[in-house]
Amino acid sequence: MTAGYQINLYGQKGWRTLKPDLTNLYAYLLEAFMEYLRTGVEPYPIEQEVELIAVLEAGKRSLKLGREVTIQEVLE
């Protein structure tokens, strides 16, 4: 078995496993940051960033509390 990351998503209609390709993650992040510095244009709208952080926080709370935690619950 090789090291890596995978994301398991579960919903009312089923589940799915995603295995992101993180081969050049650092280089990609550095390029995106440099482009932001050059242009002043954010790579992603702030709304998407907030939603992503809420998803991660919901997962963290769900693990701690032992129950489903919705994104809406985190955003309240």
Side-chain angles (χ1 to χ4, degrees), residues 24-48:
N24 296 313
L25 179 63
Y26 180 74
Y28 166 77
L29 292 174
L30 187 56
E31 287 172 9
F33 179 68
M34 294 302 291
E35 185 66 17
Y36 168 63
L37 293 178
R38 276 193 290 273
T39 66
V41 176
E42 295 177 5
Y44 300 98
I46 190 69
E47 295 80 18
Q48 287 181 9

Side-chain angles (χ1 to χ4, degrees), residues 11-72:
Q12 294 177 351
K13 296 182 180 181
W15 61 277
R16 176 165 237 171
T17 298
L18 304 172
K19 294 180 182 178
D21 180 6
L22 303 176
T23 306
N24 296 313
L25 179 63
Y26 180 74
Y28 166 77
L29 292 174
L30 187 56
E31 287 172 9
F33 179 68
M34 294 302 291
E35 185 66 17
Y36 168 63
L37 293 178
R38 276 193 290 273
T39 66
V41 176
E42 295 177 5
Y44 300 98
I46 190 69
E47 295 80 18
Q48 287 181 9
E49 293 177 36
V50 169
E51 187 174 77
L52 175 59
I53 292 168
V55 167
L56 296 172
E57 180 62 24
K60 182 178 168 184
R61 288 186 194 180
S62 177
L63 182 62
K64 181 179 179 182
L65 299 173
R67 66 172 178 81
E68 180 181 302
V69 175
T70 66
I71 296 170
Q72 188 59 40

